[in-house]
Amino acid sequence: MRAFDPRLTPARADLAAKELEGQVAAARYVEGRVYEVVEPQAPLRLTPAPDAPLATEALKGERVTIYDANAEGWAWGQLAADFYVGWLPANALAPLGAPPTHKVAALRTFAFPGPSIKLAPIEVLPLGARLAVARIDERMAVTRSGAFVPAVHLAPIDVYETDFVAVAERFLGVPYLWGGKTALGLDCSGLLQIALSACGISCPRDSDMQEQALGSPVAAAVDRSDLKRGDLVFWKGHVAIVRDRATFLHANAFHMAVAIEPIDDAIARIRDASGEITSVRRLGR
């Protein structure tokens, strides 16, 4: 049988997606059913337990194909956006509703139960969350579920940012969270994925996948005179985004936050912890 990346392959020893029959070994093969994420963000974990490590997060409005569920309230499936596989809380999912028309373009925003911002919010929505808007009522977008969201914080689903580095810079100071993808906390690859997605650029979830899939190689080591804004610097298990020839931006466990660092200082520090740079890659080349 062919080897697949288990992070991206809906297959276990006891069960696999029907489309993988004949390609992976499993006791049975099942058709999946597509759901949407209805919570602001939903944790995706590699095992069905609330204390299992966070692998990634799915944001409101994302689609996920579910192949299995257990009695403890967990559903096992694959995200449509980046194909990551894992367990999600079943109560964070619902059958497909109306297609999303808008997305959150602010770092975060509130959903209110009525048209007044003096009401207690019912949700805090992250950048990239997708909503089906029924109408614009003065300065509020009213979703098909009846929530009121400041229209200024939304953008049409097909309108994109143009500078992914500027998007990433908006997360400066956000706490580091392994597997996170929102302004409540995120990791290095989550920061890059969210920033590129805001610009309409497809991006895998983990840094090793990103190193293989994104852009073209510039160099195996950093010569700062050759760097351009938006270049990606990779180490084993880490990625940073070049802002200019002197600094780059990254979510990192040393600062436990998204931070801007002098490139030379950061390279020396990371070399001691993670080894040498594995590549520098440039998008749009």
Side-chain angles (χ1 to χ4, degrees), residues 18 48 63 117 141 165 214 232 276 283:
K18 183 69 174 177
R63 272 39 179 170
I117 61 172
V165 182
L214 296 175
L232 306 176
E276 298 290 345
L283 301 178

Side-chain angles (χ1 to χ4, degrees), residues 27-42:
R28 61 191 180 99
Y29 302 88
V30 300
E31 297 283 356
R33 182 178 177 186
V34 180
Y35 289 80
E36 67 175 293
V37 177
V38 292
E39 293 295 317
Q41 70 255 22

Side-chain angles (χ1 to χ4, degrees), residues 95-121:
L96 290 182
T101 60
H102 290 72
K103 59 192 173 186
V104 176
L107 199 60
R108 64 183 76 81
T109 191
F110 295 109
F112 298 93
S116 173
I117 61 172
K118 296 181 180 180
L119 296 172

Side-chain angles (χ1 to χ4, degrees), residues 2-23:
R2 178 182 166 190
F4 290 89
D5 188 332
R7 296 170 294 178
L8 306 177
T9 310
R12 311 185 314 231
D14 64 319
L15 179 149
K18 183 69 174 177
E19 62 265 25
L20 294 175
E21 190 168 5
Q23 301 179 63

Side-chain angles (χ1 to χ4, degrees), residues 37-60 62 64 66 73-79 82 84-93 126 177-182 184-185 205:
V37 177
V38 292
E39 293 295 317
Q41 70 255 22
L44 184 145
R45 304 184 189 278
L46 298 185
T47 58
D51 58 352
L54 181 66
T56 187
E57 291 179 307
L59 306 185
K60 189 180 186 76
E62 281 197 58
V64 53
I66 297 300
W74 292 90
W76 183 76
Q78 183 173 40
L79 303 180
D82 61 16
Y84 223 100
V85 173
W87 292 90
L88 297 142
N91 61 8
L93 307 174
L177 176 66
W178 181 275
K181 284 177 55 175
T182 77
L184 293 176
R205 178 57 179 91

